[in-house]
Amino acid sequence: MPEMRFIVIWPNDVEEECYSPSLVIRDFFEEGRTYPLADFLARSRESLTIASDRVKARYGHACSLALGQLAAIEQRAKTFDAASAEVAVKRFIL
């Protein structure tokens, strides 16, 4: 199963490398695009859940790395004002 990483830039200009066990992440995000925080979270939840489900279908267990990445994204997002914060997807790394 092809995995990928994606670089995001949080509202405080901190770059973070994130992980997905599937290329499905590219169906939800575009390189160079900025998303309102709530939209970024919704897209992260859906894409990383799908990615984890794909691992489960293939190997019989959910992907703890994908679910851990989602938990980390959700935790960091709590530190920003959801009404005004935006997150940029800088690039994908295959």
Side-chain angles (χ1 to χ4, degrees):
M1 185 166 257
E3 62 182 35
M4 72 178 311
R5 301 193 184 278
F6 56 107
I7 306 296
V8 300
I9 304 172
W10 291 98
N12 61 355
D13 292 325
V14 170
E15 289 189 18
E16 181 176 1
E17 184 176 299
C18 299
Y19 171 81
S20 172
S22 168
L23 301 180
V24 72
I25 204 83
R26 293 190 301 189
D27 294 340
F28 290 83
F29 296 107
E30 294 178 38
E31 282 185 332
R33 185 166 169 201
T34 300
Y35 300 87
L37 182 59
D39 186 32
F40 176 78
L41 284 172
R43 290 169 183 264
S44 294
R45 285 183 193 114
E46 188 172 358
S47 61
L48 290 169
T49 298
I50 290 169
S52 179
D53 289 347
R54 287 181 178 181
V55 170
K56 185 174 184 176
R58 185 163 187 182
Y59 299 107
H61 57 82
C63 180
S64 60
L65 289 174
L67 299 177
Q69 181 63 72
L70 178 56
I73 286 171
E74 289 179 334
Q75 186 65 34
R76 184 175 297 261
K78 289 179 185 178
T79 65
F80 302 107
D81 176 16
S84 62
E86 296 183 326
V87 181
V89 175
K90 183 175 181 179
R91 67 185 167 103
F92 298 123
I93 304 168
L94 296 174

